[in-house]
Amino acid sequence: MTVVRTSVQPPYSAHLRVYEPLSAWPEPERSHWRAYAAERGPDAEDREPVAGAALAEQREALAELLARTPRALPEQESGQAFVRLLEGTLYVCPRTTRLRSWQALEELHRELPAHLLDTVLPPAVRAAAEADRQAWWADHPDARPWILSSRWEVPVGWFLPFGEEDRQYVPQGEGEPPTAPALFYLTPMVQARRRVARGYRVLKEQVPRGPLVRGAERVGRWLEEFHPRSLVELDYGGLVHLLGDRLAGERSVAELADGLGALRAGDGAAALRAYESLTGRWRKLLALRQAS
Protein backbone atom coordinates (compact mmCIF):
# COMPACT_ATOMS: atom_id res chain seq x y z
CA MET A 1 0.00 0.00 0.00
CA THR A 2 1.26 3.47 -0.89
CA VAL A 3 1.54 5.78 2.12
CA VAL A 4 2.34 9.44 1.54
CA ARG A 5 2.97 12.02 4.24
CA THR A 6 3.05 15.48 2.77
CA SER A 7 1.92 19.00 3.46
CA VAL A 8 0.77 19.32 -0.17
CA GLN A 9 -3.00 19.09 -0.52
CA PRO A 10 -4.57 17.31 -3.51
CA PRO A 11 -6.90 19.18 -5.89
CA TYR A 12 -10.47 19.73 -4.71
CA SER A 13 -11.78 16.81 -6.75
CA ALA A 14 -13.87 13.71 -6.09
CA HIS A 15 -13.51 10.48 -8.07
CA LEU A 16 -15.83 7.68 -9.09
CA ARG A 17 -13.79 4.55 -9.84
CA VAL A 18 -14.43 1.05 -11.09
CA TYR A 19 -12.03 -1.76 -10.15
CA GLU A 20 -12.35 -4.82 -12.37
CA PRO A 21 -11.23 -8.25 -11.11
CA LEU A 22 -8.04 -9.60 -12.60
CA SER A 23 -10.05 -12.42 -14.18
CA ALA A 24 -11.94 -9.86 -16.30
CA TRP A 25 -8.83 -9.00 -18.31
CA PRO A 26 -7.89 -10.96 -21.45
CA GLU A 27 -4.29 -11.82 -22.15
CA PRO A 28 -1.80 -10.20 -22.38
CA GLU A 29 -3.38 -7.49 -20.17
CA ARG A 30 -4.06 -9.98 -17.37
CA SER A 31 -0.41 -10.99 -17.11
CA HIS A 32 0.64 -7.35 -17.28
CA TRP A 33 -1.57 -6.34 -14.35
CA ARG A 34 -0.65 -9.44 -12.36
CA ALA A 35 3.05 -8.57 -12.70
CA TYR A 36 2.32 -4.91 -11.96
CA ALA A 37 0.54 -5.80 -8.73
CA ALA A 38 3.22 -8.30 -7.72
CA GLU A 39 5.95 -5.69 -8.16
CA ARG A 40 4.22 -2.78 -6.42
CA GLY A 41 1.78 -4.45 -4.07
CA PRO A 42 -1.85 -3.34 -3.65
CA ASP A 43 -2.65 0.31 -2.99
CA ALA A 44 -5.33 -0.78 -0.53
CA GLU A 45 -6.23 -4.02 1.21
CA ASP A 46 -9.80 -4.78 2.26
CA ARG A 47 -11.58 -1.47 2.93
CA GLU A 48 -8.66 0.91 3.19
CA PRO A 49 -8.57 4.18 1.22
CA VAL A 50 -6.34 4.64 -1.83
CA ALA A 51 -5.70 8.24 -0.79
CA GLY A 52 -1.94 7.79 -0.66
CA ALA A 53 -1.76 6.39 -4.18
CA ALA A 54 -4.08 9.10 -5.51
CA LEU A 55 -1.93 11.81 -3.98
CA ALA A 56 1.19 10.21 -5.44
CA GLU A 57 -0.46 10.33 -8.88
CA GLN A 58 -1.09 14.06 -8.46
CA ARG A 59 2.48 14.71 -7.38
CA GLU A 60 3.80 12.82 -10.43
CA ALA A 61 1.61 14.93 -12.71
CA LEU A 62 2.83 18.16 -11.10
CA ALA A 63 6.45 17.05 -11.45
CA GLU A 64 5.94 16.46 -15.18
CA LEU A 65 4.45 19.92 -15.61
CA LEU A 66 7.43 21.50 -13.88
CA ALA A 67 9.93 19.49 -15.88
CA ARG A 68 8.78 20.45 -19.37
CA THR A 69 6.68 22.82 -21.42
CA PRO A 70 3.04 22.26 -20.38
CA ARG A 71 0.93 20.28 -22.85
CA ALA A 72 -2.77 19.60 -23.08
CA LEU A 73 -2.28 15.87 -22.46
CA PRO A 74 0.43 13.24 -21.91
CA GLU A 75 2.22 11.92 -24.99
CA GLN A 76 1.44 8.31 -24.06
CA GLU A 77 -1.26 6.57 -22.06
CA SER A 78 -0.33 5.70 -18.48
CA GLY A 79 0.56 2.09 -17.76
CA GLN A 80 -0.30 2.51 -14.11
CA ALA A 81 -3.37 1.61 -12.09
CA PHE A 82 -4.94 1.66 -8.66
CA VAL A 83 -4.90 -1.86 -7.24
CA ARG A 84 -7.16 -3.22 -4.51
CA LEU A 85 -6.96 -6.55 -2.71
CA LEU A 86 -10.32 -7.47 -1.20
CA GLU A 87 -11.08 -10.87 0.34
CA GLY A 88 -8.21 -12.44 -1.58
CA THR A 89 -9.27 -11.09 -4.99
CA LEU A 90 -7.14 -8.60 -6.90
CA TYR A 91 -8.97 -5.68 -8.52
CA VAL A 92 -7.46 -3.22 -11.01
CA CYS A 93 -8.51 0.33 -11.91
CA PRO A 94 -6.31 1.66 -14.78
CA ARG A 95 -5.52 5.35 -14.49
CA THR A 96 -6.03 6.10 -18.22
CA THR A 97 -4.44 9.50 -17.68
CA ARG A 98 -4.42 10.46 -21.36
CA LEU A 99 -8.11 9.63 -21.87
CA ARG A 100 -9.05 11.55 -18.73
CA SER A 101 -6.98 14.52 -19.96
CA TRP A 102 -9.08 14.68 -23.11
CA GLN A 103 -12.21 14.67 -20.97
CA ALA A 104 -10.80 17.44 -18.77
CA LEU A 105 -10.04 19.47 -21.88
CA GLU A 106 -13.67 19.13 -22.99
CA GLU A 107 -14.74 20.34 -19.55
CA LEU A 108 -12.50 23.40 -19.88
CA HIS A 109 -14.17 24.19 -23.20
CA ARG A 110 -17.55 24.18 -21.48
CA GLU A 111 -16.58 26.13 -18.37
CA LEU A 112 -13.97 28.76 -19.32
CA PRO A 113 -14.57 31.92 -21.36
CA ALA A 114 -12.78 31.83 -24.72
CA HIS A 115 -10.19 34.47 -23.81
CA LEU A 116 -9.24 32.67 -20.62
CA LEU A 117 -9.12 29.30 -22.35
CA ASP A 118 -6.73 30.75 -24.94
CA THR A 119 -4.46 31.92 -22.13
CA VAL A 120 -4.42 28.55 -20.38
CA LEU A 121 -4.13 26.47 -23.56
CA PRO A 122 -3.41 28.29 -26.86
CA PRO A 123 -5.63 27.36 -29.84
CA ALA A 124 -2.78 25.54 -31.60
CA VAL A 125 -2.24 23.31 -28.55
CA ARG A 126 -5.94 22.52 -28.32
CA ALA A 127 -6.15 21.78 -32.04
CA ALA A 128 -3.27 19.32 -31.77
CA ALA A 129 -4.90 17.63 -28.79
CA GLU A 130 -8.20 17.32 -30.66
CA ALA A 131 -6.46 15.81 -33.69
CA ASP A 132 -4.78 13.27 -31.42
CA ARG A 133 -8.13 12.47 -29.81
CA GLN A 134 -9.88 11.88 -33.13
CA ALA A 135 -7.10 9.59 -34.36
CA TRP A 136 -7.04 7.66 -31.08
CA TRP A 137 -10.81 7.18 -30.97
CA ALA A 138 -10.77 5.83 -34.51
CA ASP A 139 -8.54 2.99 -33.26
CA HIS A 140 -10.27 2.60 -29.86
CA PRO A 141 -14.02 3.10 -30.47
CA ASP A 142 -15.03 1.10 -27.37
CA ALA A 143 -12.63 2.77 -24.93
CA ARG A 144 -13.98 4.11 -21.66
CA PRO A 145 -12.37 5.52 -18.53
CA TRP A 146 -12.34 3.56 -15.31
CA ILE A 147 -12.29 6.87 -13.39
CA LEU A 148 -14.63 9.86 -13.50
CA SER A 149 -13.57 13.06 -11.73
CA SER A 150 -15.50 16.10 -10.55
CA ARG A 151 -14.03 19.34 -9.23
CA TRP A 152 -15.48 21.17 -6.22
CA GLU A 153 -18.49 18.87 -5.81
CA VAL A 154 -19.81 15.33 -5.92
CA PRO A 155 -22.55 15.14 -8.58
CA VAL A 156 -25.79 13.97 -6.99
CA GLY A 157 -26.04 11.03 -9.39
CA TRP A 158 -22.76 9.64 -8.06
CA PHE A 159 -24.41 8.88 -4.70
CA LEU A 160 -26.96 6.52 -6.27
CA PRO A 161 -24.79 3.35 -6.46
CA PHE A 162 -24.09 3.34 -2.72
CA GLY A 163 -25.73 2.66 0.61
CA GLU A 164 -24.91 3.98 4.05
CA GLU A 165 -23.39 0.59 4.92
CA ASP A 166 -20.72 1.18 2.23
CA ARG A 167 -19.43 4.31 3.97
CA GLN A 168 -15.80 4.32 5.12
CA TYR A 169 -14.53 7.29 7.13
CA VAL A 170 -10.88 7.48 8.14
CA PRO A 171 -10.06 10.39 10.48
CA GLN A 172 -6.87 12.37 10.21
CA GLY A 173 -3.88 10.33 11.34
CA GLU A 174 -1.11 11.34 13.66
CA GLY A 175 2.39 12.14 12.48
CA GLU A 176 4.38 15.05 11.12
CA PRO A 177 2.86 16.00 8.81
CA PRO A 178 -0.31 14.06 9.69
CA THR A 179 -1.98 11.77 7.16
CA ALA A 180 -5.06 13.33 5.63
CA PRO A 181 -8.57 12.11 6.50
CA ALA A 182 -10.47 10.09 3.92
CA LEU A 183 -14.11 9.47 3.11
CA PHE A 184 -15.09 6.89 0.53
CA TYR A 185 -17.77 4.37 -0.38
CA LEU A 186 -17.04 0.91 -1.78
CA THR A 187 -19.65 -1.53 -3.07
CA PRO A 188 -19.96 -4.52 -5.43
CA MET A 189 -20.98 -3.71 -9.00
CA VAL A 190 -24.13 -5.86 -8.79
CA GLN A 191 -25.38 -3.84 -5.84
CA ALA A 192 -24.40 -0.55 -7.48
CA ARG A 193 -26.33 -1.32 -10.66
CA ARG A 194 -29.38 -2.45 -8.68
CA ARG A 195 -29.47 0.77 -6.67
CA VAL A 196 -29.03 2.98 -9.73
CA ALA A 197 -31.80 1.12 -11.57
CA ARG A 198 -34.20 1.46 -8.63
CA GLY A 199 -33.41 5.14 -8.19
CA TYR A 200 -33.78 5.79 -11.92
CA ARG A 201 -37.23 4.17 -12.03
CA VAL A 202 -38.48 6.30 -9.14
CA LEU A 203 -37.05 9.50 -10.58
CA LYS A 204 -38.36 8.72 -14.07
CA GLU A 205 -41.87 8.27 -12.67
CA GLN A 206 -41.89 11.26 -10.32
CA VAL A 207 -39.54 13.90 -11.84
CA PRO A 208 -39.01 12.73 -15.45
CA ARG A 209 -37.50 15.99 -16.71
CA GLY A 210 -35.23 16.78 -13.80
CA PRO A 211 -31.40 16.76 -13.78
CA LEU A 212 -31.45 13.81 -11.36
CA VAL A 213 -32.90 11.56 -14.08
CA ARG A 214 -30.17 12.54 -16.54
CA GLY A 215 -27.48 12.02 -13.90
CA ALA A 216 -28.83 8.58 -12.99
CA GLU A 217 -28.95 7.61 -16.65
CA ARG A 218 -25.34 8.67 -17.25
CA VAL A 219 -24.05 6.77 -14.23
CA GLY A 220 -26.09 3.68 -15.09
CA ARG A 221 -24.82 3.55 -18.67
CA TRP A 222 -21.22 3.98 -17.52
CA LEU A 223 -21.46 1.15 -14.98
CA GLU A 224 -22.87 -1.20 -17.62
CA GLU A 225 -19.52 -1.00 -19.44
CA PHE A 226 -17.71 -3.06 -16.81
CA HIS A 227 -17.44 -6.61 -15.52
CA PRO A 228 -20.39 -7.54 -13.25
CA ARG A 229 -18.03 -8.62 -10.45
CA SER A 230 -16.23 -5.30 -10.32
CA LEU A 231 -16.08 -2.92 -7.37
CA VAL A 232 -17.40 0.65 -7.48
CA GLU A 233 -15.82 3.35 -5.34
CA LEU A 234 -16.77 6.94 -4.61
CA ASP A 235 -13.71 8.74 -3.20
CA TYR A 236 -14.19 12.26 -1.84
CA GLY A 237 -10.52 12.89 -2.59
CA GLY A 238 -9.39 16.46 -1.97
CA LEU A 239 -12.93 17.56 -1.08
CA VAL A 240 -12.26 16.31 2.46
CA HIS A 241 -10.25 19.48 3.00
CA LEU A 242 -13.17 21.69 1.92
CA LEU A 243 -15.61 19.87 4.19
CA GLY A 244 -13.33 20.28 7.22
CA ASP A 245 -15.14 19.61 10.51
CA ARG A 246 -18.28 18.62 8.61
CA LEU A 247 -16.55 15.57 7.10
CA ALA A 248 -17.32 13.14 9.92
CA GLY A 249 -21.03 13.94 9.66
CA GLU A 250 -21.25 14.03 5.86
CA ARG A 251 -24.16 11.76 4.90
CA SER A 252 -25.15 12.72 1.35
CA VAL A 253 -25.67 9.08 0.32
CA ALA A 254 -28.14 8.55 3.17
CA GLU A 255 -29.93 11.83 2.40
CA LEU A 256 -30.43 10.86 -1.22
CA ALA A 257 -31.74 7.45 -0.15
CA ASP A 258 -34.18 9.15 2.24
CA GLY A 259 -35.38 11.43 -0.55
CA LEU A 260 -35.94 8.51 -2.94
CA GLY A 261 -37.77 6.62 -0.21
CA ALA A 262 -40.05 9.60 0.30
CA LEU A 263 -40.74 9.75 -3.44
CA ARG A 264 -41.68 6.06 -3.47
CA ALA A 265 -44.06 6.67 -0.56
CA GLY A 266 -45.63 9.65 -2.30
CA ASP A 267 -44.36 12.17 0.26
CA GLY A 268 -43.26 14.97 -2.03
CA ALA A 269 -42.64 17.43 0.81
CA ALA A 270 -40.18 15.11 2.57
CA ALA A 271 -38.45 14.34 -0.72
CA LEU A 272 -38.04 18.05 -1.43
CA ARG A 273 -36.59 18.68 2.03
CA ALA A 274 -34.01 15.92 1.55
CA TYR A 275 -33.09 17.19 -1.91
CA GLU A 276 -32.72 20.80 -0.77
CA SER A 277 -30.58 19.77 2.19
CA LEU A 278 -28.35 17.69 -0.06
CA THR A 279 -27.92 20.19 -2.88
CA GLY A 280 -27.65 23.16 -0.53
CA ARG A 281 -24.55 21.72 1.10
CA TRP A 282 -22.79 21.26 -2.22
CA ARG A 283 -23.82 24.70 -3.47
CA LYS A 284 -21.89 26.18 -0.57
CA LEU A 285 -18.76 24.36 -1.69
CA LEU A 286 -19.28 25.44 -5.29
CA ALA A 287 -19.51 29.03 -4.08
CA LEU A 288 -15.95 28.67 -2.79
CA ARG A 289 -14.81 28.02 -6.36
CA GLN A 290 -16.08 31.43 -7.40
CA ALA A 291 -14.26 33.05 -4.49
CA SER A 292 -10.94 31.29 -5.11
Side-chain angles (χ1 to χ4, degrees):
M1 180 178 65
T2 304
V3 177
V4 177
R5 291 184 181 275
T6 177
S7 58
V8 177
Q9 290 188 359
Y12 296 139
S13 298
H15 309 282
L16 192 62
R17 303 188 183 102
V18 169
Y19 298 79
E20 294 193 280
L22 193 60
S23 60
W25 301 88
E27 294 292 358
E29 288 93 339
R30 185 184 304 176
S31 294
H32 166 75
W33 292 125
R34 182 183 291 112
Y36 178 89
E39 178 183 355
R40 296 169 53 94
D43 296 305
E45 296 188 40
D46 296 322
R47 293 185 174 271
E48 296 175 345
V50 295
L55 183 55
E57 179 190 25
Q58 296 294 337
R59 296 181 70 181
E60 291 168 9
L62 288 173
E64 286 194 5
L65 285 175
L66 292 174
R68 62 186 70 176
T69 302
R71 288 190 297 270
L73 66 155
E75 292 181 351
Q76 295 182 342
E77 186 55 274
S78 171
Q80 297 182 307
F82 296 102
V83 178
R84 275 193 171 276
L85 182 62
L86 182 64
E87 297 178 354
T89 299
L90 200 66
Y91 295 88
V92 178
C93 175
R95 295 184 182 179
T96 56
T97 308
R98 199 163 194 252
L99 179 55
R100 289 159 59 201
S101 295
W102 276 316
Q103 292 178 321
L105 186 57
E106 291 177 356
E107 183 180 350
L108 286 178
H109 273 281
R110 293 192 300 268
E111 293 189 356
L112 291 183
H115 69 280
L116 185 55
L117 183 60
D118 288 344
T119 301
V120 176
L121 288 172
V125 174
R126 302 201 307 275
E130 177 60 20
D132 285 347
R133 187 182 73 89
Q134 294 290 348
W136 189 87
W137 275 111
D139 295 331
H140 305 84
D142 298 325
R144 79 284 198 224
W146 283 259
I147 305 172
L148 303 181
S149 297
S150 175
R151 295 180 296 119
W152 294 91
E153 67 170 338
V154 179
V156 174
W158 287 16
F159 298 124
L160 282 170
F162 307 96
E164 182 66 8
E165 65 272 21
D166 303 320
R167 186 179 188 272
Q168 305 291 325
Y169 169 60
V170 181
Q172 180 171 293
E174 298 180 353
E176 189 56 45
T179 56
L183 178 60
F184 67 100
Y185 292 77
L186 188 68
T187 199
M189 176 64 79
V190 172
Q191 187 71 279
R193 288 176 178 170
R194 184 180 298 120
R195 288 175 177 139
V196 173
R198 288 174 178 172
Y200 176 76
R201 284 196 297 269
V202 173
L203 293 169
K204 188 71 172 177
E205 292 172 359
Q206 302 296 329
V207 284
R209 293 180 179 83
L212 284 176
V213 174
R214 294 192 294 272
E217 188 173 10
R218 284 193 296 269
V219 171
R221 287 181 176 177
W222 181 65
L223 293 180
E224 288 294 332
E225 297 286 338
F226 301 98
H227 192 278
R229 295 188 178 179
S230 300
L231 299 175
V232 186
E233 176 188 55
L234 170 57
D235 182 359
Y236 275 53
L239 295 185
V240 298
H241 300 288
L242 286 181
L243 288 165
D245 295 338
R246 295 169 290 177
L247 182 64
E250 157 58 25
R251 290 291 193 282
S252 291
V253 165
E255 282 184 315
L256 181 57
D258 290 344
L260 290 174
L263 278 180
R264 290 190 189 97
D267 190 344
L272 182 60
R273 286 195 299 271
Y275 178 73
E276 289 181 341
S277 174
L278 173 61
T279 57
R281 179 183 312 112
W282 292 102
R283 279 197 298 268
K284 291 178 181 178
L285 294 186
L286 280 171
L288 295 176
R289 176 177 62 180
Q290 305 300 326
S292 66

